[in-house]
Amino acid sequence: MGHGDAVNGSRYNQAMPFSFQVEAVNGQARAGRLLTPHGEVETPVFMPVGTVGTVKGVAQNVLEELGVEILLNNTYHLYLRPGVEIVRQLGGVQKFMGWNRPILTDSGGFQVFSLSDLRKVSEDGVAFRSHLDGSSHFFSPESAIAAQIALGADIIMAFDECTEHPAEYKRTKDSMEMTLRWARRSKDYFEAHKQGVPWFAGRGEQSPGGPSHVGFALDGVETQVLFGIVQGGMFAELRRESAQRTVEIDFAGYAIGGLSVGEPRPMTYEMVNQAMAFLPHDKPRYLMGVGTPEEIVHYVARGVDMMDCVLPTRAARHGLLFTSGGRITIKNARFAKDEGPLDPSCHCLVCRRYSRAYLRHLYASNELLAQVLNTIHNLAYYLDTMRRVRQAIRLGEFASFLSGVRPPHLSVL
Amino acid sequence: MGHGDAVNGSRYNQAMPFSFQVEAVNGQARAGRLLTPHGEVETPVFMPVGTVGTVKGVAQNVLEELGVEILLNNTYHLYLRPGVEIVRQLGGVQKFMGWNRPILTDSGGFQVFSLSDLRKVSEDGVAFRSHLDGSSHFFSPESAIAAQIALGADIIMAFDECTEHPAEYKRTKDSMEMTLRWARRSKDYFEAHKQGVPWFAGRGEQSPGGPSHVGFALDGVETQVLFGIVQGGMFAELRRESAQRTVEIDFAGYAIGGLSVGEPRPMTYEMVNQAMAFLPHDKPRYLMGVGTPEEIVHYVARGVDMMDCVLPTRAARHGLLFTSGGRITIKNARFAKDEGPLDPSCHCLVCRRYSRAYLRHLYASNELLAQVLNTIHNLAYYLDTMRRVRQAIRLGEFASFLSGVRPPHLSVL
């Protein structure tokens, strides 16, 4: 059993410290559970993306009913809107969004690199302009961690540079070295300021701030935990080195970043394998920003415990639906009179109630409910996949389960 | 007790014929219930508008949880998309949209007049162009009823001309006369073809078409019922005459149309009063396209049993929210740090879970969930208002209840 408290060398005495426990292993795949200040998460887990404090179109009670145990929020987006100070004053992002379960925030690094304009990277950090209004901002490892402490997610991420793809070896190594220096600075700032998390004061008492009618109970809560991020581009040697040296800094968990950025899928697997070999078994391993339903199963096979991706939600809004029979583009005219459910094997509220003809009509009519229902189904499909993955691992049948999943590099999105 | 079956002079022997029963009277206000092929509706009732087969952004199970007992769908919109033949083949609009409760369709007349381009009215009917693609169409009383029979709502409406406002006396009288001729043609067509409703064949057997997994049970179902529509513009004499002569044609219920089209509110009340005096007590009375939360209470006071309006749903999508403390424009910056619930007196899922600060953030960020949650709350507010109205009538306390409702012509939207 791993302990998040190993991060700062002391043991927590509260009721709900962070911990991670591997409970079953099948090959490289593991099933276990994360314990966080806002509750427990069964792993391997897929985290739906709630960019700006909402999974687009899906109310929090529906996410609960789907069995979502942890959400990802984007620091970059919440920093711009509504601003971290407002979220902090309202008690943290869980209270802010009325979600009394775990949340993970990314560091803002990836969004700064992918969304903002005119970014300028220096050893100190990244100057960037908001994609919303062009206003100027600066993220350093320290300010990105400060933002994440104020937002108050259960799990936060070191500030990293997501190396572009393709990149030369030297550029990739320089970027990796800077990410390692930033990881150290992230950890130092975190250790010095982690008691500033909005719900820290709530330990053993009524937590201030936040809507009193929501009624969160956070007795015995300690602080957030910080994960480091492995970079190293598409170079096996750098992935190994980044993993080793990130582990030396010592984090509560380890993410693998900078993948699924346009490289061929076999290369992604190879980079995951390289990093994975150097990540400790007793800490959670989080592969950032992946993948298709088939891919996430194959990543689990490589020892990944946590994943997130906008794919199920974004694809849903564009009418691309994942089903046990394959991808469906719901706007297709052949569904206009199709009275069957979207996926006969799915038990989500969409598949139980609506026909393909109705879903096609909603999408063709550009109705809000199309985006709502499509998103609910795609999330249900991902969550159900992960549920079956966990069960297979616990039953010792993961190899057989995996053999039934189409090799993702052969699948066409 | 009134009987919808009086429409065609025969008694229905099935388990669920259409009927309307007044169970309590307070002054002019009445509380009762409608029995339709798809279930019972307590009156007075507010019907949310599900234009094209969906209440924008709100899933059907949420509508059920809100206590919605009957929805309105727009014939014009469903006729254009997905087309009445598709809905008919799928078993009717209830099966099509996965809503196993009553539905009312309007006649299409109002939308033809308000939305379409290049309309040309003749004694035969209305030629118009689709607001979607400019294609040419024609609605006659016969074709509008045929469309509504194919759609298969529980309650359908005679085809009418909604007289524009303002209009001269002669123009209004001519329009009213044509609506009366169209009402007769609507009824004649309906009586000759009503067994064509998609779920008619379902009586006592498994209904064909529609997703089998939805599992509707429609044993003992008879046909739809047809309501007539009173017109007459803003002339008391014409309203009286229209009501009298529409009643002579004999419908299962009577609507008052052509109001809330820009006239001052006291004039609306006067026109309602004029028509109401001539409508039979044992038939449901439906005031079309109204109104604010205060107005709907005042219409009930005049004997109205049914109302519909896009206001709660449309206003919600624009961030205008109805609360027990008055209207709230949620985008207002003063809500940015407001940790209280939207309406402390409301028990809807939005007010129980989210803060004003969060709702303001969603709206300011143009998030889908803003429209979803705002719509749920506004509908909850309307439905709760109607629940309290019905209770007050049944307790004999409606006069006192009414005195607590701000006179609507003094309220500012």
Side-chain angles (χ1 to χ4, degrees):
Chain A
M1 176 172 174
H3 290 277
D5 52 10
V7 172
N8 59 2
S10 70
R11 291 205 164 271
Y12 298 161
N13 296 314
Q14 287 71 32
M16 295 180 71
F18 179 84
S19 75
F20 175 63
Q21 190 164 4
V22 175
E23 296 171 338
V25 174
N26 261 215
Q28 300 298 311
R30 316 107 67 79
R33 61 191 72 233
L34 277 171
L35 190 61
T36 82
H38 287 81
E40 202 171 274
V41 177
E42 284 196 79
T43 62
V45 65
F46 178 83
M47 304 182 284
V49 177
T51 306
V52 66
T54 162
V55 175
K56 294 188 189 304
V58 184
Q60 277 69 314
N61 64 304
V62 179
L63 296 173
E64 287 172 355
E65 289 157 21
L66 285 169
V68 175
E69 293 189 325
I70 180 169
L71 287 179
L72 179 142
N73 283 175
N74 292 122
T75 299
Y76 169 85
H77 288 95
L78 290 169
Y79 165 86
L80 293 177
R81 266 191 321 209
V84 293
E85 184 52 24
I86 282 182
V87 176
R88 190 191 66 77
Q89 286 180 30
L90 292 169
V93 68
Q94 297 88 352
K95 279 191 184 170
F96 175 65
M97 65 177 287
W99 173 254
N100 192 18
R101 294 190 180 185
I103 290 177
L104 179 148
T105 46
D106 62 10
S107 66
F110 182 75
Q111 277 72 35
V112 165
F113 289 98
S114 61
L115 289 179
S116 70
D117 301 322
L118 292 174
R119 73 170 192 275
K120 190 170 180 316
V121 184
S122 64
E123 183 65 25
D124 197 27
V126 187
F128 62 96
R129 288 184 185 277
S130 160
H131 73 291
L132 297 173
D133 62 4
S135 54
S136 295
H137 302 271
F138 187 81
F139 270 171
S140 65
E142 292 78 15
S143 72
I145 298 299
Q148 291 186 82
I149 291 173
L151 293 173
D154 298 80
I155 301 173
I156 70 176
M157 304 302 296
F159 191 62
D160 63 327
E161 184 181 52
C162 181
T163 318
E164 68 282 358
H165 175 76
E168 300 291 330
Y169 179 84
K170 179 166 187 322
R171 154 66 191 147
T172 307
K173 181 164 169 60
D174 290 348
S175 172
M176 179 200 81
E177 294 284 354
M178 189 170 69
T179 286
L180 285 164
R181 291 189 295 274
W182 284 4
R184 165 55 65 189
R185 285 167 58 188
S186 293
K187 187 181 176 192
D188 289 347
Y189 187 91
F190 175 68
E191 292 302 335
H193 297 87
K194 64 184 179 183
Q195 296 195 348
V197 70
W199 35 264
F200 183 77
R203 183 175 40 171
E205 52 188 87
Q206 184 66 32
S207 180
S212 60
H213 64 290
V214 173
F216 290 97
L218 290 176
D219 289 359
V221 160
E222 184 55 44
T223 65
Q224 306 167 284
V225 291
L226 177 66
F227 280 21
I229 304 180
V230 174
Q231 291 287 350
M234 302 306 157
F235 299 94
E237 167 196 335
L238 296 181
R239 284 282 165 186
R240 290 194 297 271
E241 182 177 352
S242 177
Q244 284 177 289
R245 291 171 59 190
T246 304
V247 171
E248 282 165 17
I249 300 174
D250 189 11
F251 290 95
Y254 298 94
I256 303 174
L259 291 177
S260 202
V261 290
E263 77 280 9
R265 204 49 77 234
M267 183 176 284
T268 318
Y269 291 121
E270 176 58 17
M271 295 300 117
V272 170
N273 290 343
Q274 293 295 335
M276 203 62 78
F278 292 89
L279 299 180
H281 283 265
D282 63 351
K283 297 286 176 67
R285 301 148 169 183
Y286 163 28
L287 181 57
M288 307 181 83
V290 298
T292 67
E294 295 80 17
E295 287 170 0
I296 62 178
V297 179
H298 282 263
Y299 293 129
V300 168
R302 285 163 171 79
V304 169
D305 304 302
M306 306 165 66
M307 288 166 282
D308 77 283
C309 195
V310 294
L311 182 58
T313 44
R314 183 173 292 165
R317 298 197 301 279
H318 291 93
L320 180 68
L321 302 174
F322 298 100
T323 78
S324 57
R327 273 78 167 149
I328 281 181
T329 302
I330 197 63
K331 76 176 170 196
N332 197 308
R334 72 192 163 98
F335 299 124
K337 298 180 184 179
D338 188 335
E339 62 192 23
L342 178 56
D343 182 350
S345 302
C346 178
H347 300 288
C348 82
L349 70 86
V350 179
C351 291
R352 274 186 281 122
R353 183 153 197 161
Y354 307 102
S355 64
R356 289 174 169 182
Y358 182 63
L359 296 174
R360 194 263 172 184
H361 164 67
L362 292 179
Y363 191 82
S365 303
N366 199 25
E367 280 289 328
L368 274 181
L369 193 58
Q371 304 195 26
V372 173
L373 297 183
N374 290 350
T375 303
I376 291 171
H377 169 78
N378 271 1
L379 285 179
Y381 188 80
Y382 267 68
L383 289 160
D384 189 50
T385 298
M386 295 309 290
R387 210 171 281 121
R388 291 183 297 120
V389 160
R390 289 191 298 268
Q391 188 179 30
I393 297 171
R394 288 182 184 276
L395 293 175
E397 298 169 353
F398 184 70
S400 147
F401 180 87
L402 183 67
S403 69
V405 176
R406 185 168 37 176
H409 56 282
L410 299 181
S411 71
V412 180
L413 182 56
Chain B
M1 176 170 173
H3 291 275
D5 53 11
V7 171
N8 62 1
S10 71
R11 289 206 165 270
Y12 298 161
N13 296 314
Q14 286 70 31
M16 295 182 69
F18 179 84
S19 75
F20 175 63
Q21 189 163 7
V22 175
E23 296 171 338
V25 175
N26 261 214
Q28 300 297 312
R30 317 106 67 78
R33 62 190 72 234
L34 277 170
L35 190 60
T36 83
H38 286 81
E40 202 172 273
V41 178
E42 284 197 78
T43 62
V45 65
F46 179 83
M47 303 183 284
V49 177
T51 305
V52 66
T54 161
V55 176
K56 293 185 189 307
V58 185
Q60 276 70 315
N61 64 304
V62 178
L63 296 172
E64 287 172 355
E65 288 157 20
L66 285 169
V68 175
E69 293 189 325
I70 180 170
L71 287 180
L72 180 142
N73 283 175
N74 292 123
T75 298
Y76 169 84
H77 288 94
L78 289 170
Y79 165 86
L80 293 177
R81 269 194 315 210
V84 293
E85 184 53 24
I86 282 182
V87 176
R88 189 191 66 76
Q89 286 180 28
L90 292 168
V93 69
Q94 298 89 352
K95 279 190 185 172
F96 175 64
M97 66 177 288
W99 174 254
N100 191 19
R101 294 190 180 185
I103 290 178
L104 179 150
T105 46
D106 63 11
S107 66
F110 182 76
Q111 276 71 35
V112 166
F113 289 98
S114 61
L115 289 180
S116 70
D117 300 323
L118 293 173
R119 74 171 191 275
K120 188 168 184 316
V121 183
S122 64
E123 182 65 27
D124 197 27
V126 187
F128 62 96
R129 287 184 185 276
S130 161
H131 74 291
L132 297 174
D133 62 5
S135 55
S136 294
H137 302 272
F138 187 81
F139 270 171
S140 65
E142 292 77 15
S143 72
I145 297 300
Q148 291 186 80
I149 291 173
L151 293 174
D154 298 81
I155 301 172
I156 69 176
M157 304 301 297
F159 191 63
D160 64 326
E161 184 181 52
C162 181
T163 319
E164 67 283 358
H165 174 77
E168 299 292 329
Y169 179 85
K170 177 164 190 321
R171 153 70 189 145
T172 307
K173 183 166 169 55
D174 289 347
S175 172
M176 178 200 81
E177 294 284 356
M178 188 170 69
T179 287
L180 285 164
R181 291 189 295 274
W182 285 2
R184 164 55 66 189
R185 286 167 57 189
S186 294
K187 187 181 175 193
D188 289 346
Y189 188 90
F190 176 70
E191 293 301 337
H193 298 85
K194 63 185 179 184
Q195 296 195 349
V197 69
W199 33 263
F200 182 77
R203 182 175 42 170
E205 52 187 88
Q206 185 65 30
S207 181
S212 61
H213 63 292
V214 173
F216 290 97
L218 290 175
D219 289 358
V221 159
E222 185 55 45
T223 66
Q224 305 168 285
V225 291
L226 177 66
F227 281 21
I229 303 179
V230 174
Q231 289 288 350
M234 302 305 158
F235 298 95
E237 168 196 334
L238 296 182
R239 284 283 167 185
R240 289 195 297 272
E241 183 177 351
S242 178
Q244 284 177 291
R245 291 172 56 191
T246 304
V247 171
E248 283 166 16
I249 300 174
D250 189 11
F251 290 96
Y254 298 94
I256 303 175
L259 291 177
S260 203
V261 290
E263 77 281 9
R265 205 47 79 235
M267 183 176 284
T268 317
Y269 291 121
E270 177 58 17
M271 293 303 117
V272 171
N273 290 344
Q274 292 294 336
M276 204 61 78
F278 293 89
L279 298 181
H281 284 263
D282 63 351
K283 296 284 175 70
R285 301 147 169 185
Y286 163 29
L287 181 57
M288 307 181 85
V290 297
T292 69
E294 295 80 16
E295 287 170 1
I296 61 177
V297 179
H298 281 264
Y299 292 129
V300 168
R302 285 164 173 80
V304 170
D305 304 302
M306 305 165 69
M307 288 167 283
D308 76 283
C309 195
V310 294
L311 182 57
T313 44
R314 184 173 292 167
R317 296 197 303 278
H318 291 93
L320 179 69
L321 301 175
F322 298 100
T323 78
S324 56
R327 273 77 166 152
I328 281 181
T329 303
I330 197 65
K331 76 176 169 194
N332 198 307
R334 74 192 162 96
F335 299 123
K337 298 180 184 179
D338 189 335
E339 62 192 23
L342 178 56
D343 182 348
S345 302
C346 178
H347 300 287
C348 82
L349 70 87
V350 179
C351 291
R352 276 185 281 122
R353 183 153 198 161
Y354 306 101
S355 65
R356 288 173 170 182
Y358 183 64
L359 296 174
R360 193 262 173 186
H361 164 67
L362 292 179
Y363 191 81
S365 303
N366 198 27
E367 279 291 328
L368 275 181
L369 193 58
Q371 304 194 27
V372 173
L373 297 182
N374 290 350
T375 302
I376 291 171
H377 169 77
N378 271 1
L379 284 179
Y381 188 81
Y382 267 69
L383 288 161
D384 190 50
T385 298
M386 296 309 291
R387 211 171 278 120
R388 291 183 296 120
V389 160
R390 289 192 298 267
Q391 187 180 31
I393 296 171
R394 288 183 184 276
L395 293 174
E397 296 169 355
F398 184 72
S400 148
F401 180 89
L402 184 66
S403 70
V405 177
R406 183 169 39 174
H409 56 283
L410 299 179
S411 70
V412 180
L413 182 55

